[in-house]
PDB file of all heavy atoms in Angstrom:
ATOM      1  N   LYS A 245     -86.040  48.037 -51.560  1.00  0.00           N
ATOM      2  CA  LYS A 245     -86.077  46.785 -52.200  1.00  0.00           C
ATOM      3  C   LYS A 245     -87.298  45.943 -51.834  1.00  0.00           C
ATOM      4  O   LYS A 245     -87.495  44.828 -52.279  1.00  0.00           O
ATOM      5  CB  LYS A 245     -84.755  46.046 -51.960  1.00  0.00           C
ATOM      6  CG  LYS A 245     -84.725  44.696 -52.710  1.00  0.00           C
ATOM      7  CD  LYS A 245     -83.444  44.351 -53.270  1.00  0.00           C
ATOM      8  CE  LYS A 245     -83.671  43.197 -54.178  1.00  0.00           C
ATOM      9  NZ  LYS A 245     -82.837  42.112 -54.006  1.00  0.00           N
ATOM     10  N   ASN A 276     -75.179  42.946 -48.659  1.00  0.00           N
ATOM     11  CA  ASN A 276     -75.174  41.661 -49.495  1.00  0.00           C
ATOM     12  C   ASN A 276     -76.421  40.861 -49.265  1.00  0.00           C
ATOM     13  O   ASN A 276     -77.086  40.465 -50.297  1.00  0.00           O
ATOM     14  CB  ASN A 276     -74.109  40.821 -49.120  1.00  0.00           C
ATOM     15  CG  ASN A 276     -72.737  41.111 -49.724  1.00  0.00           C
ATOM     16  OD1 ASN A 276     -72.704  42.033 -50.495  1.00  0.00           O
ATOM     17  ND2 ASN A 276     -71.696  40.541 -49.269  1.00  0.00           N
ATOM     18  N   ALA A 277     -76.859  40.752 -48.027  1.00  0.00           N
ATOM     19  CA  ALA A 277     -78.050  39.889 -47.776  1.00  0.00           C
ATOM     20  C   ALA A 277     -79.321  40.537 -48.353  1.00  0.00           C
ATOM     21  O   ALA A 277     -80.048  39.882 -49.039  1.00  0.00           O
ATOM     22  CB  ALA A 277     -78.245  39.904 -46.219  1.00  0.00           C
ATOM     23  N   ILE A 278     -79.410  41.888 -48.240  1.00  0.00           N
ATOM     24  CA  ILE A 278     -80.614  42.575 -48.849  1.00  0.00           C
ATOM     25  C   ILE A 278     -80.507  42.428 -50.381  1.00  0.00           C
ATOM     26  O   ILE A 278     -81.519  42.115 -51.009  1.00  0.00           O
ATOM     27  CB  ILE A 278     -80.601  44.046 -48.526  1.00  0.00           C
ATOM     28  CG1 ILE A 278     -80.838  44.096 -46.979  1.00  0.00           C
ATOM     29  CG2 ILE A 278     -81.778  44.774 -49.185  1.00  0.00           C
ATOM     30  CD1 ILE A 278     -80.761  45.477 -46.337  1.00  0.00           C
ATOM     31  N   ARG A 279     -79.300  42.621 -50.963  1.00  0.00           N
ATOM     32  CA  ARG A 279     -79.196  42.588 -52.392  1.00  0.00           C
ATOM     33  C   ARG A 279     -79.461  41.270 -53.025  1.00  0.00           C
ATOM     34  O   ARG A 279     -80.065  41.146 -54.029  1.00  0.00           O
ATOM     35  CB  ARG A 279     -77.710  42.866 -52.759  1.00  0.00           C
ATOM     36  CG  ARG A 279     -77.385  44.169 -53.340  1.00  0.00           C
ATOM     37  CD  ARG A 279     -76.164  44.097 -54.094  1.00  0.00           C
ATOM     38  NE  ARG A 279     -75.251  45.288 -53.752  1.00  0.00           N
ATOM     39  CZ  ARG A 279     -73.946  45.360 -53.944  1.00  0.00           C
ATOM     40  NH1 ARG A 279     -73.254  44.277 -54.194  1.00  0.00           N
ATOM     41  NH2 ARG A 279     -73.339  46.431 -53.662  1.00  0.00           N
ATOM     42  N   HIS A 280     -79.264  40.167 -52.171  1.00  0.00           N
ATOM     43  CA  HIS A 280     -79.480  38.805 -52.771  1.00  0.00           C
ATOM     44  C   HIS A 280     -80.808  38.323 -52.332  1.00  0.00           C
ATOM     45  O   HIS A 280     -81.061  37.001 -52.637  1.00  0.00           O
ATOM     46  CB  HIS A 280     -78.376  37.867 -52.415  1.00  0.00           C
ATOM     47  CG  HIS A 280     -77.078  38.262 -53.115  1.00  0.00           C
ATOM     48  ND1 HIS A 280     -76.072  39.019 -52.427  1.00  0.00           N
ATOM     49  CD2 HIS A 280     -76.530  37.993 -54.291  1.00  0.00           C
ATOM     50  CE1 HIS A 280     -75.131  39.181 -53.288  1.00  0.00           C
ATOM     51  NE2 HIS A 280     -75.403  38.598 -54.438  1.00  0.00           N
ATOM     52  N   THR A 281     -81.536  39.045 -51.429  1.00  0.00           N
ATOM     53  CA  THR A 281     -82.861  38.518 -51.090  1.00  0.00           C
ATOM     54  C   THR A 281     -83.983  39.046 -51.925  1.00  0.00           C
ATOM     55  O   THR A 281     -83.974  40.274 -52.241  1.00  0.00           O
ATOM     56  CB  THR A 281     -83.129  38.862 -49.633  1.00  0.00           C
ATOM     57  OG1 THR A 281     -82.092  38.204 -48.815  1.00  0.00           O
ATOM     58  CG2 THR A 281     -84.526  38.388 -49.123  1.00  0.00           C
ATOM     59  N   PRO A 282     -84.805  38.233 -52.516  1.00  0.00           N
ATOM     60  CA  PRO A 282     -85.951  38.727 -53.307  1.00  0.00           C
ATOM     61  C   PRO A 282     -86.834  39.708 -52.473  1.00  0.00           C
ATOM     62  O   PRO A 282     -86.917  39.471 -51.311  1.00  0.00           O
ATOM     63  CB  PRO A 282     -86.647  37.485 -53.759  1.00  0.00           C
ATOM     64  CG  PRO A 282     -86.199  36.391 -52.979  1.00  0.00           C
ATOM     65  CD  PRO A 282     -85.008  36.736 -52.311  1.00  0.00           C
ATOM     66  N   SER A 283     -87.560  40.658 -53.152  1.00  0.00           N
ATOM     67  CA  SER A 283     -88.418  41.569 -52.547  1.00  0.00           C
ATOM     68  C   SER A 283     -89.429  40.605 -51.802  1.00  0.00           C
ATOM     69  O   SER A 283     -89.882  39.501 -52.339  1.00  0.00           O
ATOM     70  CB  SER A 283     -89.018  42.558 -53.347  1.00  0.00           C
ATOM     71  OG  SER A 283     -89.628  41.892 -54.552  1.00  0.00           O
ATOM     72  N   GLY A 285     -88.842  39.131 -49.197  1.00  0.00           N
ATOM     73  CA  GLY A 285     -88.146  38.224 -48.288  1.00  0.00           C
ATOM     74  C   GLY A 285     -87.724  38.887 -47.088  1.00  0.00           C
ATOM     75  O   GLY A 285     -87.933  40.124 -46.748  1.00  0.00           O
ATOM     76  N   ALA A 286     -86.990  38.065 -46.120  1.00  0.00           N
ATOM     77  CA  ALA A 286     -86.640  38.751 -44.876  1.00  0.00           C
ATOM     78  C   ALA A 286     -85.110  38.569 -44.580  1.00  0.00           C
ATOM     79  O   ALA A 286     -84.656  37.461 -45.018  1.00  0.00           O
ATOM     80  CB  ALA A 286     -87.516  38.276 -43.712  1.00  0.00           C
ATOM     81  N   VAL A 287     -84.497  39.510 -43.878  1.00  0.00           N
ATOM     82  CA  VAL A 287     -83.084  39.331 -43.464  1.00  0.00           C
ATOM     83  C   VAL A 287     -83.142  39.517 -41.998  1.00  0.00           C
ATOM     84  O   VAL A 287     -83.739  40.378 -41.383  1.00  0.00           O
ATOM     85  CB  VAL A 287     -82.254  40.473 -44.113  1.00  0.00           C
ATOM     86  CG1 VAL A 287     -80.862  40.534 -43.459  1.00  0.00           C
ATOM     87  CG2 VAL A 287     -82.187  40.242 -45.624  1.00  0.00           C
ATOM     88  N   ALA A 303     -78.752  36.400 -41.575  1.00  0.00           N
ATOM     89  CA  ALA A 303     -79.339  35.337 -42.277  1.00  0.00           C
ATOM     90  C   ALA A 303     -80.177  35.966 -43.293  1.00  0.00           C
ATOM     91  O   ALA A 303     -80.936  36.862 -43.052  1.00  0.00           O
ATOM     92  CB  ALA A 303     -80.105  34.374 -41.379  1.00  0.00           C
ATOM     93  N   ASP A 304     -80.182  35.429 -44.538  1.00  0.00           N
ATOM     94  CA  ASP A 304     -81.008  35.953 -45.606  1.00  0.00           C
ATOM     95  C   ASP A 304     -81.890  34.940 -46.295  1.00  0.00           C
ATOM     96  O   ASP A 304     -81.955  33.736 -45.884  1.00  0.00           O
ATOM     97  CB  ASP A 304     -80.182  36.786 -46.553  1.00  0.00           C
ATOM     98  CG  ASP A 304     -79.203  35.949 -47.335  1.00  0.00           C
ATOM     99  OD1 ASP A 304     -79.370  34.740 -47.321  1.00  0.00           O
ATOM    100  OD2 ASP A 304     -78.216  36.446 -47.846  1.00  0.00           O
ATOM    101  N   ALA A 305     -82.543  35.368 -47.389  1.00  0.00           N
ATOM    102  CA  ALA A 305     -83.301  34.383 -48.169  1.00  0.00           C
ATOM    103  C   ALA A 305     -82.885  34.412 -49.563  1.00  0.00           C
ATOM    104  O   ALA A 305     -83.576  34.528 -50.601  1.00  0.00           O
ATOM    105  CB  ALA A 305     -84.797  34.736 -48.107  1.00  0.00           C
ATOM    106  N   CYS A 306     -81.468  34.222 -49.725  1.00  0.00           N
ATOM    107  CA  CYS A 306     -80.905  34.406 -51.060  1.00  0.00           C
ATOM    108  C   CYS A 306     -81.095  33.079 -51.853  1.00  0.00           C
ATOM    109  O   CYS A 306     -80.814  33.109 -53.151  1.00  0.00           O
ATOM    110  CB  CYS A 306     -79.397  34.723 -51.050  1.00  0.00           C
ATOM    111  SG  CYS A 306     -78.474  33.327 -50.385  1.00  0.00           S
ATOM    112  N   GLY A 307     -81.568  32.075 -51.287  1.00  0.00           N
ATOM    113  CA  GLY A 307     -81.782  30.868 -51.995  1.00  0.00           C
ATOM    114  C   GLY A 307     -80.457  29.980 -52.008  1.00  0.00           C
ATOM    115  O   GLY A 307     -80.375  28.894 -52.701  1.00  0.00           O
ATOM    116  N   GLY A 308     -79.489  30.439 -51.238  1.00  0.00           N
ATOM    117  CA  GLY A 308     -78.217  29.542 -51.093  1.00  0.00           C
ATOM    118  C   GLY A 308     -77.150  29.961 -51.979  1.00  0.00           C
ATOM    119  O   GLY A 308     -77.390  30.323 -53.150  1.00  0.00           O
ATOM    120  N   ILE A 309     -75.863  29.857 -51.583  1.00  0.00           N
ATOM    121  CA  ILE A 309     -74.771  30.149 -52.431  1.00  0.00           C
ATOM    122  C   ILE A 309     -74.274  28.758 -52.916  1.00  0.00           C
ATOM    123  O   ILE A 309     -74.228  27.807 -52.133  1.00  0.00           O
ATOM    124  CB  ILE A 309     -73.610  30.781 -51.614  1.00  0.00           C
ATOM    125  CG1 ILE A 309     -74.080  32.189 -51.082  1.00  0.00           C
ATOM    126  CG2 ILE A 309     -72.437  30.884 -52.322  1.00  0.00           C
ATOM    127  CD1 ILE A 309     -73.180  32.890 -50.146  1.00  0.00           C
ATOM    128  N   PRO A 310     -73.923  28.607 -54.222  1.00  0.00           N
ATOM    129  CA  PRO A 310     -73.493  27.306 -54.750  1.00  0.00           C
ATOM    130  C   PRO A 310     -72.326  26.751 -53.826  1.00  0.00           C
ATOM    131  O   PRO A 310     -71.439  27.588 -53.504  1.00  0.00           O
ATOM    132  CB  PRO A 310     -72.929  27.699 -56.132  1.00  0.00           C
ATOM    133  CG  PRO A 310     -73.647  28.873 -56.493  1.00  0.00           C
ATOM    134  CD  PRO A 310     -73.956  29.633 -55.308  1.00  0.00           C
ATOM    135  N   GLU A 311     -72.406  25.421 -53.535  1.00  0.00           N
ATOM    136  CA  GLU A 311     -71.431  24.895 -52.601  1.00  0.00           C
ATOM    137  C   GLU A 311     -70.001  25.142 -52.971  1.00  0.00           C
ATOM    138  O   GLU A 311     -69.158  25.519 -52.126  1.00  0.00           O
ATOM    139  CB  GLU A 311     -71.631  23.379 -52.555  1.00  0.00           C
ATOM    140  CG  GLU A 311     -72.786  22.862 -51.682  1.00  0.00           C
ATOM    141  CD  GLU A 311     -72.696  23.258 -50.181  1.00  0.00           C
ATOM    142  OE1 GLU A 311     -71.511  23.278 -49.663  1.00  0.00           O
ATOM    143  OE2 GLU A 311     -73.585  23.686 -49.643  1.00  0.00           O
ATOM    144  N   LEU A 314     -68.741  28.612 -51.864  1.00  0.00           N
ATOM    145  CA  LEU A 314     -68.710  28.912 -50.417  1.00  0.00           C
ATOM    146  C   LEU A 314     -67.341  29.256 -49.885  1.00  0.00           C
ATOM    147  O   LEU A 314     -67.198  30.236 -49.231  1.00  0.00           O
ATOM    148  CB  LEU A 314     -69.439  27.780 -49.522  1.00  0.00           C
ATOM    149  CG  LEU A 314     -71.006  27.805 -49.416  1.00  0.00           C
ATOM    150  CD1 LEU A 314     -71.477  26.734 -48.573  1.00  0.00           C
ATOM    151  CD2 LEU A 314     -71.451  29.166 -48.816  1.00  0.00           C
ATOM    152  N   VAL A 354     -69.376  31.341 -43.254  1.00  0.00           N
ATOM    153  CA  VAL A 354     -70.743  31.357 -44.056  1.00  0.00           C
ATOM    154  C   VAL A 354     -71.204  29.911 -44.128  1.00  0.00           C
ATOM    155  O   VAL A 354     -70.413  28.953 -44.317  1.00  0.00           O
ATOM    156  CB  VAL A 354     -70.590  32.078 -45.315  1.00  0.00           C
ATOM    157  CG1 VAL A 354     -69.585  31.378 -46.316  1.00  0.00           C
ATOM    158  CG2 VAL A 354     -72.035  32.117 -46.111  1.00  0.00           C
ATOM    159  N   ALA A 355     -72.518  29.730 -44.110  1.00  0.00           N
ATOM    160  CA  ALA A 355     -73.120  28.387 -44.468  1.00  0.00           C
ATOM    161  C   ALA A 355     -74.436  28.661 -45.003  1.00  0.00           C
ATOM    162  O   ALA A 355     -75.107  29.583 -44.817  1.00  0.00           O
ATOM    163  CB  ALA A 355     -73.203  27.640 -43.165  1.00  0.00           C
ATOM    164  N   ASN A 356     -74.881  27.733 -45.875  1.00  0.00           N
ATOM    165  CA  ASN A 356     -76.259  27.706 -46.336  1.00  0.00           C
ATOM    166  C   ASN A 356     -77.164  27.250 -45.288  1.00  0.00           C
ATOM    167  O   ASN A 356     -76.890  26.316 -44.677  1.00  0.00           O
ATOM    168  CB  ASN A 356     -76.376  26.912 -47.680  1.00  0.00           C
ATOM    169  CG  ASN A 356     -75.698  27.604 -48.823  1.00  0.00           C
ATOM    170  OD1 ASN A 356     -75.812  28.814 -48.946  1.00  0.00           O
ATOM    171  ND2 ASN A 356     -75.080  26.873 -49.706  1.00  0.00           N
ATOM    172  N   GLU A 357     -78.253  27.823 -45.161  1.00  0.00           N
ATOM    173  CA  GLU A 357     -79.266  27.430 -44.106  1.00  0.00           C
ATOM    174  C   GLU A 357     -80.556  27.933 -44.461  1.00  0.00           C
ATOM    175  O   GLU A 357     -80.693  29.098 -44.880  1.00  0.00           O
ATOM    176  CB  GLU A 357     -78.766  27.886 -42.741  1.00  0.00           C
ATOM    177  CG  GLU A 357     -79.232  27.122 -41.599  1.00  0.00           C
ATOM    178  CD  GLU A 357     -78.872  27.674 -40.288  1.00  0.00           C
ATOM    179  OE1 GLU A 357     -77.806  27.328 -39.768  1.00  0.00           O
ATOM    180  OE2 GLU A 357     -79.689  28.448 -39.804  1.00  0.00           O
ATOM    181  N   GLY A 358     -81.605  27.139 -44.196  1.00  0.00           N
ATOM    182  CA  GLY A 358     -82.954  27.530 -44.494  1.00  0.00           C
ATOM    183  C   GLY A 358     -83.158  28.095 -45.950  1.00  0.00           C
ATOM    184  O   GLY A 358     -82.685  27.536 -46.930  1.00  0.00           O
ATOM    185  N   PRO A 359     -83.891  29.256 -46.040  1.00  0.00           N
ATOM    186  CA  PRO A 359     -84.111  29.719 -47.469  1.00  0.00           C
ATOM    187  C   PRO A 359     -82.927  30.460 -48.012  1.00  0.00           C
ATOM    188  O   PRO A 359     -83.010  30.953 -49.202  1.00  0.00           O
ATOM    189  CB  PRO A 359     -85.274  30.776 -47.145  1.00  0.00           C
ATOM    190  CG  PRO A 359     -85.062  31.211 -45.696  1.00  0.00           C
ATOM    191  CD  PRO A 359     -84.413  30.057 -44.929  1.00  0.00           C
ATOM    192  N   GLY A 360     -81.845  30.525 -47.286  1.00  0.00           N
ATOM    193  CA  GLY A 360     -80.692  31.415 -47.928  1.00  0.00           C
ATOM    194  C   GLY A 360     -79.349  31.009 -47.288  1.00  0.00           C
ATOM    195  O   GLY A 360     -79.123  29.830 -47.020  1.00  0.00           O
ATOM    196  N   CYS A 361     -78.507  31.961 -46.961  1.00  0.00           N
ATOM    197  CA  CYS A 361     -77.366  31.713 -46.331  1.00  0.00           C
ATOM    198  C   CYS A 361     -77.198  32.501 -44.991  1.00  0.00           C
ATOM    199  O   CYS A 361     -77.891  33.365 -44.826  1.00  0.00           O
ATOM    200  CB  CYS A 361     -76.131  31.908 -47.244  1.00  0.00           C
ATOM    201  SG  CYS A 361     -76.180  33.574 -47.989  1.00  0.00           S
ATOM    202  N   ARG A 362     -76.189  32.152 -44.177  1.00  0.00           N
ATOM    203  CA  ARG A 362     -76.034  32.669 -42.923  1.00  0.00           C
ATOM    204  C   ARG A 362     -74.555  33.020 -42.672  1.00  0.00           C
ATOM    205  O   ARG A 362     -73.697  32.209 -42.806  1.00  0.00           O
ATOM    206  CB  ARG A 362     -76.378  31.649 -41.912  1.00  0.00           C
ATOM    207  CG  ARG A 362     -77.221  32.136 -40.689  1.00  0.00           C
ATOM    208  CD  ARG A 362     -77.769  30.944 -39.995  1.00  0.00           C
ATOM    209  NE  ARG A 362     -76.639  30.104 -39.487  1.00  0.00           N
ATOM    210  CZ  ARG A 362     -76.102  30.088 -38.359  1.00  0.00           C
ATOM    211  NH1 ARG A 362     -76.633  30.956 -37.380  1.00  0.00           N
ATOM    212  NH2 ARG A 362     -75.117  29.436 -37.970  1.00  0.00           N
ATOM    213  N   PHE A 363     -74.304  34.373 -42.623  1.00  0.00           N
ATOM    214  CA  PHE A 363     -72.940  34.786 -42.379  1.00  0.00           C
ATOM    215  C   PHE A 363     -72.864  34.964 -40.835  1.00  0.00           C
ATOM    216  O   PHE A 363     -73.754  35.564 -40.216  1.00  0.00           O
ATOM    217  CB  PHE A 363     -72.657  36.090 -43.051  1.00  0.00           C
ATOM    218  CG  PHE A 363     -72.400  35.855 -44.545  1.00  0.00           C
ATOM    219  CD1 PHE A 363     -73.412  35.752 -45.440  1.00  0.00           C
ATOM    220  CD2 PHE A 363     -71.058  35.840 -44.970  1.00  0.00           C
ATOM    221  CE1 PHE A 363     -73.136  35.555 -46.769  1.00  0.00           C
ATOM    222  CE2 PHE A 363     -70.824  35.609 -46.241  1.00  0.00           C
ATOM    223  CZ  PHE A 363     -71.826  35.425 -47.268  1.00  0.00           C
TER     224      PHE A 363
END
Side-chain angles (χ1 to χ4, degrees):
K245 184 139 190 231
N276 279 350
I278 295 172
R279 254 199 224 156
H280 292 95
T281 296
S283 52
V287 168
D304 62 19
C306 67
I309 296 176
E311 281 302 317
L314 278 180
V354 60
N356 284 324
E357 202 184 275
C361 54
R362 220 164 62 95
F363 282 83

